[in-house]
Amino acid sequence: MQVHLNHDIAWQSKIDHAVKVADFHAFFEERNYGTGLTKLVLFLICQDPALMLKQRVRLVKATSILYVDIMLDLPYFIQASHVERRRKIANEIREQVQAVLVKRRILDFDLVQFMSDLIFVSDDQLNGQLSTRFDEYCLERASGY
C-alpha cells in the first residue's frame, strides 16, 4: 500500500519543519491491507480560520485511492513548539483517518491492522527518538509571532 503525506499550510505554522522527519511511504510500501484501498493520500491543511475551509474526503473507487484532508488549527501551531506540533499532527492523523475509514467502510480492507500500523509509524516517526533531529536547524516559531 502507498501512503503519502502532503501539506497545504500557512508558513507561520512551521508544519513543514515538523513533518520533515516523516516518511510514511517507506514504511507502508511493502504492506498489504487488501484490495479495497491501494493508496492513501493525506493532506495536512493548516490555513487561516477566516478561510473557513472544510475537510475534503474523496474515494476514487476505480483506482482504490482515498484522499483525506487532515484539518489542523493554525493558531495552535503558531504558538506550539516543534515537539508539540509533531505530537498534535500524529494525534490528528490517527483520529481523522480513523473517523474517515470507519465512516467509509471500505470492503476488502483490514482496517484494524492498518490503524495499528498507522499509530505505530506516526508515533515512531513524529514522536520517537529520531524525531528531533532537524529541530536545531530551524526557529521554534516564525518571526513576529
Side-chain angles (χ1 to χ4, degrees), residues 76-99:
Y76 172 83
F77 281 90
I78 288 174
Q79 298 302 317
S81 68
H82 293 307
V83 172
E84 292 167 336
R85 286 183 191 107
R86 283 191 299 274
R87 187 176 306 123
K88 183 72 167 173
I89 291 167
N91 288 338
E92 291 297 326
I93 287 173
R94 289 191 304 258
E95 289 174 11
Q96 293 184 39
V97 168
Q98 183 168 14

Side-chain angles (χ1 to χ4, degrees), residues 38-141:
T38 59
K39 184 189 280 188
L40 175 64
V41 181
L42 304 174
F43 292 94
L44 303 177
I45 307 295
C46 190
Q47 294 288 350
D48 186 346
L51 296 173
M52 296 176 24
L53 299 175
K54 304 286 185 204
Q55 183 182 40
R56 297 170 300 174
V57 176
R58 181 173 177 230
L59 175 61
V60 181
K61 291 185 180 181
T63 57
S64 301
I65 300 174
L66 178 63
Y67 300 89
V68 179
D69 287 348
I70 306 299
M71 305 305 288
L72 303 171
D73 181 37
L74 180 60
Y76 172 83
F77 281 90
I78 288 174
Q79 298 302 317
S81 68
H82 293 307
V83 172
E84 292 167 336
R85 286 183 191 107
R86 283 191 299 274
R87 187 176 306 123
K88 183 72 167 173
I89 291 167
N91 288 338
E92 291 297 326
I93 287 173
R94 289 191 304 258
E95 289 174 11
Q96 293 184 39
V97 168
Q98 183 168 14
V100 167
L101 290 175
V102 166
K103 185 178 178 182
R104 290 287 171 159
R105 297 183 187 170
I106 298 170
L107 299 177
D108 192 26
F109 180 69
D110 189 350
L111 174 63
V112 174
Q113 184 60 52
F114 175 76
M115 286 308 302
S116 174
D117 288 347
L118 183 63
I119 290 168
F120 169 77
V121 75
S122 62
D123 277 340
D124 182 52
Q125 291 186 9
L126 294 171
N127 300 315
Q129 290 180 330
L130 298 176
S131 65
T132 61
R133 65 186 181 268
F134 297 123
D135 288 358
E136 65 185 278
Y137 301 114
C138 64
L139 294 174
E140 191 78 30
R141 289 179 183 77

